[in-house]
Amino acid sequence: MRTAKRLDNLAPYLFARIDAKKAELEAKGADVISLGIGDPDIATPAHIVCAMAKAIRNPANHQYPDYAGSLEYREACARYMQRRFSVEVDPKREVLALIGSKEGIAHLCNAFVDPGEYVLAPSIGYPVYSSGATLVSANTYAMPMREEDGFLADFTAVPESVLEKAKILFLNYPNNPTGAVATEEYFDKAIAFCLEHDLLLAHDNAYCDICFDGYRAPSILERPRAKECCIEFFSLSKSYNMTGWRIGFACGNEQAVQALGTVKNNLDSGQFTAIQQAAIAALDGSQDCVEEMCELYAKRRDLVVNAFRAIGMDCTAPKATIYIWVKVPAGYTSESFATELLERAQVIVTPGSGYGEGGEGYIRISLTTPDQLLEEAVRRIGRLNEMR
């Protein structure tokens, strides 16, 4: 039996490796605290669960769902875009239900990129931007991201020879894993760049609702001419603690949304209608749960940032996301420092190099851990630092 050669070009999935390491240590009796995966430790809000419980008992929902998502769900997504960003999208032609934003991002390459062509992805970013390209036998060009530039991906550094073969430019702000945010001016330049070079701009906006200190993350679709070249991806995973529910949506440029929908029509049968109805309750219901989560994550952010600064490790308090991006001490790589924390402190962190070449020299800390465990993890790291 011979697998496709493209699978040989895929690195082992970062978070699957972390899960495996955690399971191995726990099997040996270790008391492991994971600050690695961004999976909220708080339950999905009760009103969303109740909506699901009601929907799942309705026999009408036990049949195949609409491929593009129910019109009712897409209308709720459109209302969210209007309420949250003052952006108007046509729920029938410019909104598409997703089985989590991850699958939509990966499938976008099937819709636009041919073998041998390029996607432009941040040099520090969600691995799916590049793996989606690999799975269609395409190439990824890593746009440089530097701390001194606020971790804004430098699309102007892409060589002309690559641009001639490029189809998609991926951006993600608020950014996973760095926590960086983008300005309106940056988005405007990115849109102008994509229009000039006939690129689809795919903006992953999964963390737009997790913001602190009065900051409100924008939608790229707020910017002039955005709909001419932009598709934007949203997820309910982090905003409403619904990671396991696998529900999100894409919206924006009609051609891009419809092309992605064509791929999905042929590869999946849509998300369970009952989950879509629960998502409607999330989008249309009280947003107090989101505000409460932001307050909790802000408290955890401050705890972690202050603790790392106290032991002399360099990190910035982000305005958004559920992550802290920390420089590793001198003499370490991302991988070696993460390994030391795992083996000597039984604390799992994510090596920055797992997010691409630009992430070397950093680790990512997730704030999705109960307060007492987060405090214990910080103490362990502090003790390890004192022993060095």
Side-chain angles (χ1 to χ4, degrees):
M1 184 183 300
R2 293 172 293 170
T3 60
K5 290 182 179 179
R6 65 179 67 92
L7 293 187
D8 297 334
N9 298 322
L10 281 175
Y13 191 57
L14 175 63
F15 300 114
R17 286 162 46 206
I18 291 172
D19 274 347
K21 286 183 179 179
K22 182 173 184 284
E24 180 182 350
L25 281 170
E26 288 179 334
K28 296 177 181 177
D31 177 20
V32 180
I33 300 175
S34 178
L35 307 182
I37 299 174
D39 194 1
D41 59 300
I42 309 161
T44 304
H47 70 283
I48 300 172
V49 176
C50 288
M52 177 67 171
K54 179 180 179 181
I56 204 169
R57 293 186 175 93
N58 183 351
N61 293 333
H62 299 174
Q63 298 176 309
Y64 281 121
D66 294 332
Y67 282 102
S70 70
L71 181 57
E72 184 183 12
Y73 173 60
R74 286 178 284 147
E75 288 174 340
C77 296
R79 287 192 294 272
Y80 167 84
M81 293 299 295
Q82 176 62 50
R83 182 186 72 247
R84 177 68 174 77
F85 304 109
S86 298
V87 167
E88 291 187 11
V89 287
D90 178 357
K92 295 181 179 179
R93 301 293 301 172
E94 297 177 338
V95 180
L96 180 68
L98 301 175
I99 309 174
S101 59
K102 178 181 178 180
E103 66 89 357
I105 290 168
H107 284 148
L108 190 67
C109 291
N110 292 77
F112 281 90
V113 187
D114 290 316
E117 293 182 331
Y118 277 86
V119 303
L120 311 178
S123 66
I124 311 171
Y126 194 29
V128 177
Y129 307 145
S130 57
S131 62
T134 300
L135 288 170
V136 296
S137 300
N139 305 302
T140 300
Y141 181 86
M143 298 179 290
M145 293 174 70
R146 295 175 287 267
E147 185 171 7
E148 57 267 30
D149 298 326
F151 291 112
L152 296 175
D154 185 3
F155 43 81
T156 66
V158 180
E160 191 63 36
S161 59
V162 172
L163 279 174
E164 291 173 357
K165 298 179 181 179
K167 289 289 192 66
I168 303 174
L169 188 156
F170 283 106
L171 293 178
N172 163 224
Y173 295 100
N175 181 256
N176 170 24
T178 69
V181 298
T183 63
E184 293 178 347
E185 292 77 16
Y186 177 79
F187 279 151
D188 290 343
K189 290 177 181 177
I191 291 167
F193 182 84
C194 289
L195 289 172
E196 178 184 356
H197 296 284
D198 193 25
L199 300 172
L200 172 63
L201 200 169
H203 184 233
D204 178 7
N205 211 356
Y207 296 91
C208 62
D209 288 324
I210 310 298
C211 300
F212 317 121
D213 307 329
Y215 175 73
R216 283 179 64 81
S219 161
I220 201 168
L221 296 175
E222 296 177 39
R223 306 311 305 155
R225 302 192 68 185
K227 268 199 190 179
E228 295 179 37
C229 65
C230 295
I231 184 171
E232 194 160 34
F233 293 86
F234 293 88
S235 169
L236 279 74
S237 290
K238 306 306 192 294
S239 302
Y240 302 98
N241 296 336
M242 296 177 71
T243 51
W245 299 61
R246 310 315 306 139
I247 185 72
F249 67 94
C251 63
N253 178 273
E254 180 179 339
Q255 180 185 359
V257 169
Q258 293 302 311
L260 178 56
T262 298
V263 171
K264 286 175 57 59
N265 289 349
N266 286 276
L267 294 180
D268 68 62
S269 297
Q271 180 54 284
F272 183 27
T273 304
I275 292 178
Q276 294 183 57
Q277 291 184 0
I280 292 169
L283 294 170
D284 282 348
S286 169
Q287 301 302 296
D288 289 349
C289 57
V290 179
E291 294 179 10
E292 290 167 2
M293 260 193 306
C294 289
E295 292 175 4
L296 175 64
Y297 286 136
K299 185 180 74 170
R300 292 178 178 178
R301 174 202 63 174
D302 293 342
L303 168 70
V304 171
V305 168
N306 291 337
F308 274 110
R309 287 175 177 171
I311 62 175
M313 292 183 66
D314 186 15
C315 60
T316 300
K319 294 181 180 179
T321 78
I322 54 177
Y323 308 114
I324 307 296
W325 190 238
V326 186
K327 276 188 177 179
V328 303
Y332 288 91
T333 65
S334 296
E335 190 76 35
S336 67
F337 188 64
T339 299
E340 179 165 314
L341 290 182
L342 178 60
E343 293 178 348
R344 298 184 60 195
Q346 284 76 58
V347 174
I348 292 176
V349 299
T350 311
S353 54
Y355 295 95
E357 60 192 58
E360 179 54 62
Y362 297 85
I363 57 171
R364 191 195 76 171
I365 303 291
S366 173
L367 300 175
T368 56
T369 302
D371 291 10
Q372 66 273 19
L373 291 180
L374 195 61
E375 291 169 357
E376 172 59 21
V378 168
R379 280 194 292 270
R380 293 183 188 182
I381 295 170
R383 287 197 297 268
L384 180 61
N385 184 69
E386 292 170 0
M387 293 188 300
R388 270 200 224 106

